[in-house]
Amino acid sequence: MRGIILAGGSGTRLRPLTSVHSKQLLPVYDKPMIYYPLSVLMQAGIREILIISTPEHLDVYRSLLGDGRRLGVSIAYAVQDAPKGLPEALVIGREFIGDQKVCLILGDNIFYGHRLPDMLREEAGRLSGCTLFGYQVSDPERYGVASVDDEGRIVSLEEKPAEPRSNLAVTGLYMYDNEALDRAAQLEPSARGELEITDLNLTFVREGRARLVNLGRGSAWFDTGTHDSLLEASMFVQVLEKRQGIRISCLEEIAYRMGFVGKEQLALLGKELSESSSYGRYVLDLAGA
């Protein structure tokens, strides 16, 4: 399975913060936002990753993450000239994906949960059609909403319904069989001139081949598209890290725990980050340096 992070868009809801910066490079407490979706893909065991962003920001991502080799992964880059909908990521990434399955994650979505890594690997192994990930919310009318049967198959999927049939919001994490590439390419733009992810997902729902996994109470999900949600996510990360003495979405630690890099490389990564940085010191401590 290959992974795609969609880090484009104009971030209009976060202006003036995003007037000159890419939204996915804004800090969420102690690290850039894009670290969080990248960590999700790495924890799922995905080592070939494509980052899609705007022409003016792509070089900044390259400067931050390079080709991924230092983390034991491979990171490629592609341009999205203008925000034309989430399914366009599959069109842009078609050559990169090849004949593989794909996991698409939005660059402004943050996921956390003790069971999340194992859950993602399990779902990747059983994928047939498409798998979406849901989260219970108190205001489902703001999101895409799914209803499921007893086996987790999606029976209805609506975008921002006035009268939601459930409180399961569809998050910005999607797994697809390779056939989704052709389906994305055949979608007709909406009245807004964009390809809609719900339209793509409905092609699988109608065939009974769409599953939804409820992330459950032990997990957290943030869509950091507003100033309030960005602050809430930062505070969530701060509280957990300080109370538990851990680092959420520390790419260097994940690379080490997943076996992508060894202890010697981990120590080098820590030194690059500098001992004067608490983040760098944390990585050095993991390496026993």
Side-chain angles (χ1 to χ4, degrees):
M1 177 175 280
R2 296 193 172 158
I4 294 180
I5 302 174
L6 185 55
S10 53
T12 52
R13 290 183 297 166
L14 283 171
R15 288 183 181 171
L17 291 175
T18 52
S19 295
V20 294
H21 289 289
S22 172
K23 173 172 61 174
Q24 293 81 8
L25 289 169
L26 294 174
V28 177
Y29 186 48
D30 57 353
K31 60 192 74 71
M33 188 187 294
I34 197 166
Y35 272 41
Y36 295 88
L38 180 53
S39 74
V40 170
L41 296 181
M42 291 172 63
Q43 288 175 310
I46 297 171
R47 300 181 70 170
E48 294 176 279
I49 297 161
L50 178 69
I51 295 175
I52 299 175
S53 190
T54 57
E56 63 268 30
H57 295 132
L58 209 58
D59 284 343
V60 186
Y61 287 104
R62 283 196 181 97
S63 297
L64 176 67
L65 299 168
D67 61 7
R69 199 177 317 172
R70 57 191 284 279
L71 296 169
V73 299
S74 174
I75 300 177
Y77 300 88
V79 169
Q80 184 183 42
D81 292 318
K84 298 176 184 175
L86 308 188
E88 193 188 26
L90 302 182
V91 177
I92 294 171
R94 182 166 198 138
E95 184 175 344
F96 166 80
I97 299 165
D99 61 357
Q100 301 290 307
K101 297 177 180 181
V102 61
C103 181
L104 171 64
I105 187 168
L106 303 189
D108 62 356
N109 273 220
I110 294 174
F111 296 87
Y112 177 78
H114 179 67
R115 283 204 65 252
L116 184 62
D118 290 338
M119 179 190 296
L120 293 174
R121 290 193 287 271
E122 289 170 8
E123 293 304 326
R126 67 184 293 181
L127 176 64
S128 178
C130 87
T131 298
L132 311 182
F133 295 84
Y135 193 79
Q136 292 186 358
V137 297
S138 60
D139 50 354
E141 64 279 357
R142 294 180 51 222
Y143 304 95
V145 177
S147 297
V148 299
D149 63 17
D150 293 338
E151 296 180 358
R153 277 194 304 263
I154 299 174
V155 295
S156 73
L157 190 60
E158 301 173 280
E159 188 64 29
K160 298 180 180 178
E163 298 182 5
R165 300 184 186 183
S166 81
N167 64 348
L168 275 177
V170 177
T171 68
L173 178 62
Y174 316 87
M175 288 183 177
Y176 295 108
D177 273 340
N178 193 263
E179 64 198 88
L181 305 186
D182 285 336
R183 298 185 185 209
Q186 294 165 6
L187 289 176
E188 293 292 331
S190 67
R192 298 187 301 168
E194 297 182 3
L195 304 180
E196 300 291 344
I197 197 73
T198 297
D199 290 342
L200 173 62
N201 296 334
L202 281 170
T203 68
F204 291 98
V205 172
R206 287 190 284 268
E207 296 173 358
R209 298 176 59 228
R211 273 175 41 80
L212 184 132
V213 177
N214 188 344
L215 293 174
R217 288 188 176 185
S219 301
W221 168 59
F222 296 91
D223 177 354
T224 57
T226 67
H227 297 99
D228 285 342
S229 59
L230 181 60
L231 178 60
E232 288 166 3
S234 293
M235 293 175 67
F236 174 83
V237 173
Q238 181 201 35
V239 168
L240 274 183
E241 291 190 351
K242 286 191 173 296
R243 287 187 178 176
Q244 299 185 10
I246 60 173
R247 295 277 169 170
I248 295 174
S249 299
C250 173
L251 300 181
E252 295 79 9
E253 178 178 12
I254 292 167
Y256 175 63
R257 304 284 188 204
M258 293 293 297
F260 299 166
V261 301
K263 189 166 286 191
E264 185 176 337
Q265 175 63 10
L266 183 64
L268 289 174
L269 292 171
K271 289 174 182 176
E272 286 179 13
L273 291 161
S274 172
E275 287 189 49
S276 61
S277 155
S278 60
Y279 186 102
R281 185 68 253 169
Y282 176 81
V283 175
L284 286 170
D285 287 345
L286 286 173

